[in-house]
Amino acid sequence: MRAWADASAPRRTTRSPGLVLLLTLALALDVGAAMRVPVAAALSPGAEECAECHNAENPGTISVAGETKPLAMDLDAYEASLHGKLDCTGCHLGFKSRTHTANQTEGWLRTAKLEACRNCHADQFTMYEGSFHGTLVFDEASTEAPVCADCHTPHNIVAPDSPQFRRGILDLCARCHGGRGETYLDSYHGKAFLLGNDQTATCIDCHGGHRILPESDPASLISDENRVATCARCHAGANTNFAGFMVHLDPQDPRDSFTVWLFWLAYVLLIAAVFTFGGVHTAMYIYRGIKDGLYGRKHS
Amino acid sequence: MASTVASTPERGVKPRTRVEYLRFNAFHRWMHFLVFVSFTVLVFTGMPLKYKDTEWARWVMDAIGGVTAAGVYHRIAAIITVLYWLAEVTFMIVSIVRHRGRGVLGPGSMMFNQKDLRDIAGMFAWFLGKGAKPQFDRYTYWEKFDFTSLVLGTVIIGTTGFMMWFPLETTKVAPGIILNIALVIHSNEALLAMGVIFIFVHFFSAHLKPESFPLDKVIFTGSLPVEHYKAERPLEYARRVREGTLDEVLVERRVTWRTHVADVLWWTFTAVAGVSALLMSAFIIWSVFD
């Protein structure tokens, strides 16, 4: 049943206290071994070698595919990322020589942002390959559709369930799907998200992260077949009606839902009428009060 | 409320007694207090959601303690709202039954009648300097509107609010689009209610109009000098004199140091409400023109 489910999409799980206890115990018992490892672990020896040139002090640039890119690397940020202990050549496959030309680099960049990820993240890669985005990239050679590093960033890779990543999701998707982002922000989830709740559902919680498919595809998380189960991941007991709630609905657009639009219009007219009458009434009352010197002539 | 500081020695102010006109009984005053507290909380925890992409929405939410905490306060205030609404409706039913239905549509009632239409026309004539100010009975048309919009508005905003609070239960009996409609209604009804209470009707009535400026504190004290009331609501006064029921509403009020302590309290309430109203109104006007 979970075959379609995207393994990497964050779910509301709480870390079990048993696991934490076990890890603490393991850490305590292995404290001797831990002591032998330098505490402020630096870059891997391989990465240190690259850092001789690609460090923050390097003012140089390189022209790749018509774009000027700095040679400098924010090594501190890289070190703090989930990949911080890996060799650069783990992703930048084929960088064997200390000298590499721009032409070589161009090919390598694409590899490092996409194909290299498969070596460790095969499951996610397979899901991505079959997704709408993956199809665009592999079958239609699209250069616009996102590859791994477009969402996960090339170097500052963070856990997908971290607040840092979750806060950025909307911007990632809005690069292409801006209109959907607008209607999302008007929805219950979007309002909570915008006002600081990191746990509320964002794009990937409903659409999936790697295997995003159009609604019309039965395998999609938001297809008629799967939508209820997708809602139920957070809203236990969700039914078909519940899943029929329209997340991306603009109340001001009669084409989205004529009924909702009618309610919206009725309220706009009512508010305008009441506020106009109230405003005029108030202003005229105050005017008369001032004109007749009624202010300050209080009885008690 | 003033009794909480009873240990303070009495000195300076000599107690004196005066006869006042009882406009609002203890029940009325408690109802108003509950509306006052819950409404303010609901506005401050709810309006940032409506104007979620503004900077002030973020400030307010951060000041409250985040969107999740705001949700909890909003729901607590919602429960208070349900309780005061039920109490008010019970009070009305009991009153009607006790008076065997007499006076429900009469001149002293909260119900709209034809005189209200004549009063509206008469007030606009007075505004324009063409005629004397109409004489009012117990409630003016804007007070009736204020009350009616609150009682009926609470049904609308409460129903939609509970739909959104319990979406799973709601969609067991209704299609999912009901949640989209509920949000549109709840959000706009809230703006309407806020405008009515904070600007155009209630604040105007209690603070801005010349007869009340800067504060009509009768909803806190319950009674006011007979002469004052006679001037403000001459028809009710005359009616009571005619019917011989004036004694029912005349109360002896001792003016002591407690009265003055209470005055400070009423002014504090007013300041809280005034600042809330000004702040929220300014925020929303800012959003409209931003």
Side-chain angles (χ1 to χ4, degrees), chain A residues 34-96:
Chain A
M35 291 295 278
R36 287 191 294 274
V37 179
V39 179
L43 296 167
S44 72
E48 285 289 3
E49 207 176 320
C50 304
E52 283 173 30
C53 295
H54 298 283
N55 57 51
E57 277 78 48
N58 191 335
T61 56
I62 184 172
S63 182
V64 184
E67 262 185 274
T68 305
K69 299 196 167 197
L71 292 176
M73 260 284 298
D74 186 347
L75 294 166
D76 290 339
Y78 173 67
E79 212 186 305
S81 81
L82 285 181
H83 283 177
K85 301 289 172 282
L86 299 179
D87 280 356
C88 305
T89 50
C91 298
H92 295 280
L93 303 175
F95 276 74
K96 297 280 189 272

Side-chain angles (χ1 to χ4, degrees), chain A residues 186 188 246 267 281 295, chain B residues 52 141 179-180 189 208 215:
Chain A
D186 280 336
Y188 300 108
M246 291 166 80
Y267 263 102
H281 190 274
Y295 281 95
Chain B
K52 79 278 171 200
Y141 59 83
L179 297 175
N180 292 94
E189 180 67 31
L208 286 182
L215 164 65

Side-chain angles (χ1 to χ4, degrees), chain B:
Chain B
M1 239 155 261
S3 60
T4 53
V5 284
S7 58
T8 315
E10 238 176 86
R11 70 166 80 98
V13 184
K14 278 182 195 153
R16 56 200 166 90
T17 306
R18 69 182 180 210
V19 175
E20 290 202 335
Y21 193 104
L22 185 72
R23 177 150 163 79
F24 296 121
N25 63 27
F27 180 81
H28 294 132
R29 275 128 65 192
W30 270 103
M31 284 297 105
H32 176 264
F33 180 74
L34 291 177
V35 176
F36 174 101
V37 172
S38 61
F39 193 87
T40 309
V41 171
L42 287 167
V43 164
F44 270 84
T45 52
M47 277 297 156
L49 290 174
K50 184 167 174 62
Y51 296 95
K52 79 278 171 200
D53 36 19
T54 62
E55 269 181 66
W56 65 261
R58 202 64 206 248
W59 299 337
V60 173
M61 275 303 175
D62 288 348
I64 293 170
V67 70
T68 311
V72 174
Y73 304 144
H74 200 83
R75 284 163 176 81
I76 292 171
I79 291 168
I80 296 174
T81 304
V82 171
L83 294 179
Y84 80 61
W85 189 90
L86 288 173
E88 179 62 37
V89 170
T90 309
F91 176 84
M92 288 196 287
I93 292 170
V94 167
S95 300
I96 291 169
V97 169
R98 197 194 280 161
H99 295 100
R100 296 196 184 80
R102 271 181 289 113
V104 174
L105 298 168
S109 160
M110 251 317 168
M111 293 292 282
F112 288 98
N113 55 38
Q114 285 192 348
K115 183 178 178 298
D116 292 318
L117 289 176
R118 292 199 298 277
D119 285 347
I120 293 173
M123 281 301 276
F124 274 94
W126 176 64
F127 293 156
L128 297 166
K130 293 172 181 154
K133 188 181 162 197
Q135 295 204 326
F136 294 106
D137 206 292
R138 183 166 170 77
Y139 298 114
T140 63
Y141 59 83
W142 63 83
E143 286 165 348
K144 290 180 184 180
F145 178 79
D146 200 352
F147 179 81
T148 312
S149 62
L150 183 69
V151 173
L152 297 183
T154 301
V155 177
I156 295 169
I157 211 160
T159 309
T160 51
F162 276 97
M163 283 178 179
M164 299 190 287
W165 186 352
F166 301 102
L168 289 165
E169 290 72 12
T170 304
T171 50
K172 274 184 188 142
V173 293
I177 195 92
I178 196 97
L179 297 175
N180 292 94
I181 296 171
L183 179 58
V184 169
I185 294 178
H186 195 82
S187 152
N188 285 293
E189 180 67 31
L191 181 62
L192 182 62
M194 209 202 82
V196 166
I197 300 291
F198 276 3
I199 313 174
F200 299 114
V201 184
H202 192 71
F203 260 53
F204 150 75
S205 170
H207 305 290
L208 286 182
K209 70 183 169 66
E211 297 86 345
S212 309
F213 186 82
L215 164 65
D216 183 352
K217 52 180 188 280
V218 68
I219 197 63
F220 297 123
T221 59
S223 60
L224 73 173
V226 178
E227 286 310 305
H228 185 175
Y229 196 71
K230 199 176 158 186
E232 266 210 46
R233 303 296 144 94
L235 294 188
E236 188 193 358
Y237 187 84
R239 190 159 50 78
R240 286 201 176 270
V241 171
R242 198 168 58 242
E243 293 170 358
T245 54
L246 190 61
D247 287 346
E248 289 174 14
V249 289
L250 293 183
V251 288
E252 258 187 25
R253 186 145 171 256
R254 281 177 81 229
V255 180
T256 64
W257 61 272
R258 286 185 185 186
T259 315
H260 301 283
V261 171
D263 270 355
V264 174
L265 199 63
W266 313 144
W267 274 103
T268 311
F269 281 164
T270 306
V272 170
V275 169
S276 306
L278 277 175
L279 206 61
M280 213 26 100
S281 308
F283 281 159
I284 287 171
I285 291 165
W286 175 15
S287 314
V288 170
F289 292 101
D290 196 16

